[in-house]
Amino acid sequence: MNPQTKKTHCLKVSRIYDWIQRSVDIQLKVPLPLHSRMVKDEICGTIHVPCKTSDPMLLYSADQEIIPSGTITIFFDKGRGGTLDVIVNKQTSFSLFKGQTRSITVKQLKSLEVICRGGELGFCTGKYHLNINYKIPRIKSKPEVRCFLTNQQGIPIAPFKPGAISYEEISQPDERKNVTSKLPNGKDVSLQKVKVLEKGFVVIEVSCEDQIYQTKPIPFTVIETFILYAPSGAVIQCEITDFECDVILIDRTKTKSYPMFELHIFINLRQNLFTEAPVKLEVDGYICQPREE
């Protein structure tokens, strides 16, 4: 190494003015209307109701949470009564004489009953046939729910990849408000108030039995205020050091006429925020050459 080769070099580097770490929590509530499964069912049976009774014979009763639609067919075969009255949803719908058959279609079939009228002895006999359709939620057992970070198109991305979550200072860099803060040694220092807009997207995947449902990209946005040393010319930089996303699936079907769930999303971001600015340094050094092996 020859001292005569020592020279002054000019280097352009980034100077870190301040560096803080913060954890931010974001909560979202998103409705999740899952498509229902249309189920068709066929119910058949015989009618054998006493004529001397004031109580109808119940043929069908629907689940209170799942009300079907469908077609009812009643055949009045034999009986000592005058008519066989058909009661749909607690209201008399039609009456049949012996040997008659009738079919009707109802949008909401809550109950089906029959009663024998006009006779004192014996029974009214016949047959009934129901073709019903009803919707049931695809999710019947406890589902598995997964949350992951994506871009705007819904493509999964690594949380720690630069740009996975966008950061933008919304305060004016040249007009940052000064805040007087006290250091641990008791001295006062002038810091700046910086407002940052953070944005990203998550997708929720719900798996149950043989069904997998993915939401469209769900945007999340939060505005954070930081107090740090950020003189004029300093640029705000941010990096994610940890990302967590938890989801709770709340069933709201009982309060709706169709299957409805609600996603409660809890996002936690652990982030490093620092201010930097380009500076030039003069460094005295020697020009080195590799040695011969």
Side-chain angles (χ1 to χ4, degrees):
M1 185 180 293
N2 187 351
Q4 294 182 354
T5 61
K6 184 177 181 180
K7 292 184 178 180
T8 299
H9 301 273
C10 185
L11 303 178
K12 186 177 182 180
V13 297
S14 293
R15 177 183 177 181
I16 304 298
Y17 288 103
D18 203 353
W19 185 0
I20 61 174
Q21 189 177 72
R22 179 185 290 184
S23 179
V24 56
D25 293 314
I26 304 170
Q27 296 186 21
L28 304 171
K29 287 185 181 181
V30 181
L32 182 68
L34 294 181
H35 297 294
S36 300
R37 194 158 49 96
M38 180 62 74
V39 175
K40 295 184 178 182
D41 207 352
E42 190 172 346
I43 302 173
C44 301
T46 59
I47 297 171
H48 192 78
V49 56
C51 294
K52 193 176 180 180
T53 180
S54 59
D55 297 325
M57 176 183 179
L58 180 65
L59 302 180
Y60 174 81
S61 178
D63 189 307
Q64 291 183 356
E65 296 182 9
I66 303 175
I67 307 298
S69 61
T71 300
I72 302 168
T73 301
I74 305 292
F75 168 56
F76 184 13
D77 184 19
K78 298 176 182 180
R80 300 242 180 140
T83 61
L84 181 69
D85 290 353
V86 179
I87 304 169
V88 178
N89 300 337
K90 304 299 182 181
Q91 300 290 330
T92 300
S93 179
F94 58 90
S95 299
L96 296 174
F97 292 99
K98 285 185 292 184
Q100 287 186 326
T101 301
R102 185 174 175 183
S103 297
I104 63 168
T105 299
V106 294
K107 291 184 177 180
Q108 288 191 326
L109 178 58
K110 298 179 181 179
S111 64
L112 174 63
E113 300 166 291
V114 292
I115 190 170
C116 195
R117 303 286 191 187
E120 295 183 356
L121 299 174
F123 295 86
C124 288
T125 61
K127 295 181 180 180
Y128 69 95
H129 184 269
L130 305 179
N131 279 318
I132 58 176
N133 307 299
Y134 53 93
K135 293 180 179 181
I136 61 173
R138 290 189 181 274
I139 293 182
K140 297 298 289 181
S141 60
K142 186 176 180 180
E144 294 182 3
V145 184
R146 190 167 69 97
C147 173
F148 49 90
L149 191 68
T150 71
N151 60 15
Q152 191 171 1
Q153 288 72 42
I155 301 173
I157 52 177
F160 312 119
K161 181 181 179 181
I165 297 175
S166 66
Y167 291 82
E168 178 186 356
E169 183 182 357
I170 57 176
S171 52
Q172 295 296 325
D174 295 331
E175 299 178 3
R176 295 168 182 148
K177 293 183 179 180
N178 294 324
V179 177
T180 301
S181 182
K182 194 174 291 294
L183 296 176
N185 60 11
K187 292 185 178 180
D188 290 337
V189 63
S190 180
L191 301 179
Q192 283 70 47
K193 181 183 291 186
V194 177
K195 289 187 177 182
V196 176
L197 174 66
E198 307 171 18
K199 298 187 295 183
F201 297 87
V202 292
V203 164
I204 309 301
E205 182 180 271
V206 180
S207 303
C208 185
E209 300 171 352
D210 59 343
Q211 302 291 330
I212 297 179
Y213 179 84
Q214 279 192 356
T215 67
K216 294 181 179 180
I218 301 171
F220 63 87
T221 303
V222 63
I223 297 176
E224 287 279 284
T225 300
F226 300 89
I227 305 297
L228 72 172
Y229 184 53
S232 179
V235 178
I236 308 299
Q237 300 288 357
C238 188
E239 63 177 8
I240 298 296
T241 60
D242 195 19
F243 172 85
E244 292 183 2
C245 182
D246 298 308
V247 183
I248 298 176
L249 189 65
I250 307 296
D251 188 355
R252 302 295 190 194
T253 305
K254 294 182 180 180
T255 61
K256 299 287 183 180
S257 59
Y258 53 90
M260 172 65 73
F261 295 84
E262 190 174 69
L263 296 170
H264 290 218
I265 306 170
F266 304 88
I267 300 171
N268 177 263
L269 301 176
R270 189 72 176 173
Q271 54 196 351
N272 286 334
L273 193 88
F274 52 92
T275 55
E276 66 174 14
V279 295
K280 293 180 180 179
L281 299 179
E282 288 186 356
V283 179
D284 292 334
Y286 297 94
I287 299 177
C288 297
Q289 299 294 333
R291 64 180 178 83
E292 294 292 337
E293 185 178 10

